[in-house]
Amino acid sequence: GQNIDQPTEMTATEGAIVQINCTYQTSGFNGLFWYQQHAGEAPTFLSYNVLDGLEEKGRFSSFLSRSKGYSYLLLKELQMKDSASYLCAVGKAAGNKLTFGGGTRVLVKP
Amino acid sequence: GAVVSQHPSRVICKSGTSVKIECRSLDFQATTMFWYRQFPKQSLMLMATSNEGSKATYEQGVEKDKFLINHASLTLSTLTVTSAHPEDSSFYICSARVGDWSYNEQFFGPGTRLTVL
């Protein structure tokens, strides 16, 4: 099976930092993706981790621990435009497809 | 680069009719295309995986006779919702991937909002 859990909603203040956690259980792990999705729009790629550790890309960073089945997405210097849903997706070797978590809606307040 | 388009962006139809949604990769050839469905405030649920020239692979619980997928070329896949009913109203999103592996990035289309009256 494949369970992917992430919080439903988070609220943060403009300029602050928010960390979105994602835990997963899967067989045949083939990497973990984070996507951003604004309401009514398609998801856009943020990051990909396949090895343990931190990947930094501007204001966004993503971390992976394969042994713990755990990842997080870190958003720094939050801006109002960062209000969106953030989707954690696990790549599975069998079937070569992605399974998405439920998504975390982040609301950035002034 | 890596642009995926969908047409139409919105469609409203009567119950019992069929609706066709097109997904195109505009500037690359996609080895594989995927069709997802997303209900309000929920995440993406994979419906089927589509490879050019072969039959689509449907996820458990997705009726293949109701959701017909045709993948005629490396740049075009179509999803036809046959005999649509109000419960089929949803946001349908396609994605396209270069490469055969799940670690290859998927590029998503802008989605099609289907409303069945």
Side-chain angles (χ1 to χ4, degrees), chain B residues 13-34:
Chain B
C13 69
K14 293 183 179 179
S15 186
T17 60
S18 294
V19 174
K20 180 186 282 190
I21 303 170
E22 290 187 352
C23 177
R24 292 180 185 272
S25 56
L26 298 185
D27 50 2
F28 66 101
Q29 292 186 324
T31 311
T32 308
M33 288 184 171
F34 300 87

Side-chain angles (χ1 to χ4, degrees), chain A residues 22-80:
Chain A
C22 173
T23 58
Y24 64 89
Q25 295 175 315
T26 188
S27 55
F29 177 77
N30 226 357
L32 189 142
F33 292 82
W34 283 96
Y35 284 87
Q36 179 191 61
Q37 186 181 26
H38 286 98
E41 299 181 10
T44 55
F45 171 81
L46 290 178
S47 69
Y48 172 68
N49 295 68
V50 67
L51 299 177
D52 290 351
L54 186 68
E55 295 276 344
E56 296 186 80
K57 192 184 294 185
R59 293 190 298 116
F60 294 178
S61 303
S62 57
F63 171 84
L64 176 68
S65 169
R66 288 171 296 171
S67 62
K68 295 182 180 178
Y70 168 67
S71 173
Y72 68 72
L73 179 70
L74 195 69
L75 286 62
K76 303 176 198 172
E77 300 169 19
L78 280 171
Q79 301 175 9
M80 299 299 291

Side-chain angles (χ1 to χ4, degrees), chain A residues 96, chain B residues 30-34 49-52 71 95-100:
Chain A
N96 285 303
Chain B
T31 311
T32 308
M33 288 184 171
F34 300 87
T49 303
S50 173
N51 291 294
E52 184 261 341
H71 196 153
S95 71
R97 184 178 73 188
V98 177
D100 298 327

Side-chain angles (χ1 to χ4, degrees), chain A residues 6 9 28 30-31 33 35 37 39-45 48 50 87-88 91-93 95-103 105, chain B residues 6 32 34 36 38 41-46 49 57-59 91 93-94 97 100-111 113:
Chain A
Q6 50 181 132
E9 283 189 1
N30 226 357
F33 292 82
Y35 284 87
Q37 186 181 26
E41 299 181 10
T44 55
F45 171 81
Y48 172 68
V50 67
L87 310 176
C88 169
K92 187 169 181 175
N96 285 303
K97 55 191 179 183
L98 294 182
T99 299
F100 284 81
R105 286 192 299 279
Chain B
Q6 274 184 249
T32 308
F34 300 87
Y36 296 86
Q38 185 175 35
K41 296 189 177 181
Q42 295 186 24
S43 192
L44 278 72
M45 297 297 295
L46 180 64
T49 303
T57 302
Y58 290 81
E59 294 299 301
F91 193 49
I93 303 177
C94 73
R97 184 178 73 188
D100 298 327
W101 312 110
S102 58
Y103 53 73
N104 296 124
E105 184 181 345
Q106 292 184 26
F107 301 95
F108 287 85
R113 185 158 305 281

Side-chain angles (χ1 to χ4, degrees), chain B residues 30-101:
Chain B
T31 311
T32 308
M33 288 184 171
F34 300 87
W35 287 96
Y36 296 86
R37 182 167 50 183
Q38 185 175 35
F39 292 105
K41 296 189 177 181
Q42 295 186 24
S43 192
L44 278 72
M45 297 297 295
L46 180 64
M47 298 176 67
T49 303
S50 173
N51 291 294
E52 184 261 341
S54 61
K55 289 185 178 180
T57 302
Y58 290 81
E59 294 299 301
Q60 194 171 7
V62 178
E63 300 175 59
K64 60 182 179 182
D65 294 331
K66 182 170 180 62
F67 298 99
L68 301 178
I69 292 172
N70 183 276
H71 196 153
S73 75
L74 287 172
T75 59
L76 173 64
S77 176
T78 60
L79 168 69
T80 301
V81 183
T82 62
S83 186
H85 291 285
E87 57 265 30
D88 298 324
S89 298
S90 188
F91 193 49
Y92 291 85
I93 303 177
C94 73
S95 71
R97 184 178 73 188
V98 177
D100 298 327
W101 312 110

